[in-house]
Amino acid sequence: MASPSSPSQIALQQMLADLLLQHFRRDSAESNTLQLYRLLRDGILQEVLPPGLRLPSSRQLAQELGIARNTVIHVYERLVVEGYLAAGVGRGTFVLDTGPERLPGREPAVARGGADSLAEISRRGTQLVAQAGAGEKQWGAFMPGVPEVRTFPSRTWMRLHNRQWRKPQPDLLTYSVGPGLPALRSALADYLRSSRGVICTPEQIIVTNGSHAALQLIALLLGDVGDSAWVENPGYWGVHSVWRSSGLDTQPVAVDGDGLQVEEGARLGAPKLIYVSPSHQYPLGAVMSLARRRRLLAYARRNHCWIVEDDYDSEFRYGRSPLPSLQGLDRHGRVIYLATFSKVIYPGLRLAYMVVPEALVASFQTGLSEMFRGGQYLTQAVLADFIAEGHFVSHIRRMRHLYALRRETLLAAIAAHFGARLPIHDGAAGLHLVLGLPDGCDDHAIAEAALQQGILTRPLSAYYRGAAPAQQGLLLGYAHVHEQDIAGHFATLAAVIKAAGIGLAPPP
């Protein structure tokens, strides 16, 4: 260490004096103590004040800055405690060497804005981000997949919620390590047996924080990295995102009017998992025929595949009763039934559930506790009461009537602008329909142009994977749009479509 009177030390001390005199303001709103502390700390971190520099005595620095000596003493002591300075009687106060070790290898490149290039995400993360399907906006005409939440019986829900809070049980508020609240699982088993034809006991039901958590748990427990999984094409983007990020190789398999084409999938080889939405194919709305269902079940049994049946909105069928589940036909324990409350209650509830074959119950219960810890038991208790007291079924019936009215209103608006010139896919069910567009148009561009006019929609081609040609179209969610507003909003969208030269009436 250089002596205090050496030329280098004198120059460094002059640098410190210039730093403090230039930036220290006695009339600042910031206190003298905090101001001096910040200047010295930042000078050390930025190596303006290098390791080994001997600082002026507290008396000398106080005189130069015109502040109390105790202020300087306090700042020096704080910086010593925090490891920036070292001090000793008769030795003075010195800047410590706190710089990082110089490790072997090149210095990393610095991206624009000073961000370290090592912040780049993994290949798996890059693929996830590049193929993300979640939109920034989730409310407005005609965002698909959004239920009507303004008519939810909130007073009834609040009454049930308050009843639970009057004398909350400790096990509803602490960590949960089980597959869901027993009361909710029992209520769900009764509902599923009577309304969806699901064959199950309460013990087979696993409650999760949303369908994506269920899909991830399925991938982790039933698949290994590199295993293949069939996914409907077009199909729900979230399955690809969750399963590919879990290490599975998702393989798109085409659908037709009868659902997933099992024979086409078989040419790819037997997968470990098969994802289907047989009661209302997402997004085209096809209903899987009985013959196709039996063929799929037989294939899964012979090839030891697991079928994941996503029954996301089958409660809402218009003109006929909801179809029984695929799981109800399964006699060999190859189907995992998946459903969510996002469409029938409200999305922010973030609760879904699975019905797993009896052979998987113990593994799924343990896996859920180990990976996700479950939770929201008090909310589950409220939901259990909501179902058991009949409010759940009553709400579904009201919504089914309301959604049917809004669907008919949208169909009438489409007919008024385009007649029968554009095809419609919806399966008379769910919360959305697909307005088909001619091959060769750009549904992404049309959706973007509609967004500029305040209309939310999703391009159908975005739901396709692989090299197969994608149909063009627009997904139109109607469930949350007031019926009196549908015609006006669709007129705006129709103008955008017509501006692209699509759906115009042929010349006479």
Side-chain angles (χ1 to χ4, degrees), residues 117-140:
S117 65
L118 294 180
E120 295 176 358
I121 60 176
S122 66
R123 289 191 299 272
R124 178 169 54 184
T126 300
Q127 183 181 56
L128 174 66
V129 172
Q131 297 182 356
E136 294 182 1
K137 297 183 178 180
Q138 295 293 322
W139 184 265

Side-chain angles (χ1 to χ4, degrees), residues 46-238:
Q46 296 167 13
E47 297 189 1
V48 174
L49 307 179
L53 173 65
R54 181 173 182 176
L55 300 184
S57 67
S58 58
R59 186 185 306 276
Q60 179 183 353
L61 186 56
Q63 290 176 347
E64 290 180 357
L65 297 178
I67 60 177
R69 183 187 177 192
N70 283 341
T71 298
V72 179
I73 293 174
H74 176 75
V75 170
Y76 278 6
E77 289 177 346
R78 178 177 176 182
L79 291 170
V80 168
V81 170
E82 294 180 1
Y84 293 97
L85 300 177
V89 178
R91 295 194 306 111
T93 304
F94 296 89
V95 176
L96 287 175
D97 185 359
T98 60
E101 296 179 358
R102 299 301 179 185
L103 300 174
R106 294 180 299 173
E107 281 291 316
V110 177
R112 183 177 299 177
D116 195 332
S117 65
L118 294 180
E120 295 176 358
I121 60 176
S122 66
R123 289 191 299 272
R124 178 169 54 184
T126 300
Q127 183 181 56
L128 174 66
V129 172
Q131 297 182 356
E136 294 182 1
K137 297 183 178 180
Q138 295 293 322
W139 184 265
F142 293 99
M143 185 66 188
V146 180
E148 177 58 87
V149 297
R150 292 163 295 195
T151 59
F152 179 71
S154 56
R155 289 189 178 182
T156 299
W157 184 268
M158 185 59 66
R159 176 176 58 81
L160 299 175
H161 194 273
N162 290 340
R163 188 169 70 188
Q164 291 292 339
W165 268 114
R166 288 192 192 104
K167 193 175 180 180
Q169 300 298 316
D171 57 350
L172 299 182
L173 304 180
T174 188
Y175 291 107
S176 57
V177 293
L181 189 69
L184 176 58
R185 296 160 69 206
S186 179
L188 282 173
D190 292 340
Y191 166 74
L192 292 171
R193 285 192 295 261
S194 62
S195 66
R196 300 299 301 120
V198 174
I199 301 173
C200 69
T201 63
E203 290 72 27
Q204 290 175 257
I205 296 176
I206 309 292
V207 182
T208 65
N209 293 335
S211 59
H212 281 203
L215 288 168
Q216 186 177 14
L217 187 61
I218 290 169
L220 293 175
L221 293 179
L222 300 181
D224 289 311
V225 173
D227 281 347
S228 63
W230 293 357
V231 178
E232 296 168 323
N233 195 34
Y236 177 44
W237 55 265

